[in-house]
Amino acid sequence: MLGVEPLDPTAVGTFERVFERGGEPAHEVWRVYEGRIAEEWPYCGDSFALVEPERGTEHVSRWIPIDRLRQPNTTFSVSDVLDALTA
């Protein structure tokens, strides 16, 4: 959870991915929004940490330009998200 206040969020779409992890079926749903946030701290560097409270795990989020995500040497699992953001 980031702990930030979203400003003017606009729904881009809901995206679903079914895949295998460790030989077992897995499923995830992405709700994607475009917008701004009130706080400045996430924009102060190239990355920032966030905590997943249900699991108590910390993750690193990075600011990556959409054009870079489209490059063949960059792994991004749901290309439909990129298509929706650049439409």
Side-chain angles (χ1 to χ4, degrees), residues 1-2 49-59:
M1 176 175 243
L2 284 178
L50 61 98
V51 175
E52 187 175 354
E54 295 84 16
R55 296 184 177 176
T57 55
E58 186 173 304
H59 305 276

Side-chain angles (χ1 to χ4, degrees), residues 61-87:
S61 293
R62 294 180 183 8
W63 297 108
I64 301 173
I66 291 173
D67 290 343
R68 182 169 165 211
L69 293 175
R70 289 187 170 282
Q71 294 176 358
N73 61 341
T74 302
T75 301
F76 190 81
S77 300
V78 184
S79 61
D80 291 346
V81 172
L82 296 178
D83 294 341
L85 289 174
T86 58

Side-chain angles (χ1 to χ4, degrees), residues 23-45:
E24 296 293 320
H27 176 253
E28 60 189 17
V29 175
W30 298 20
R31 304 233 23 200
V32 179
Y33 296 85
E34 287 183 303
R36 301 175 297 121
I37 55 176
E39 293 75 13
E40 294 291 327
W41 65 264
Y43 299 112
C44 291

Side-chain angles (χ1 to χ4, degrees), residues 11-31:
V12 171
T14 300
F15 303 88
E16 181 176 27
R17 184 168 81 108
V18 177
F19 57 99
E20 278 191 23
R21 177 177 290 155
E24 296 293 320
H27 176 253
E28 60 189 17
V29 175
W30 298 20
R31 304 233 23 200

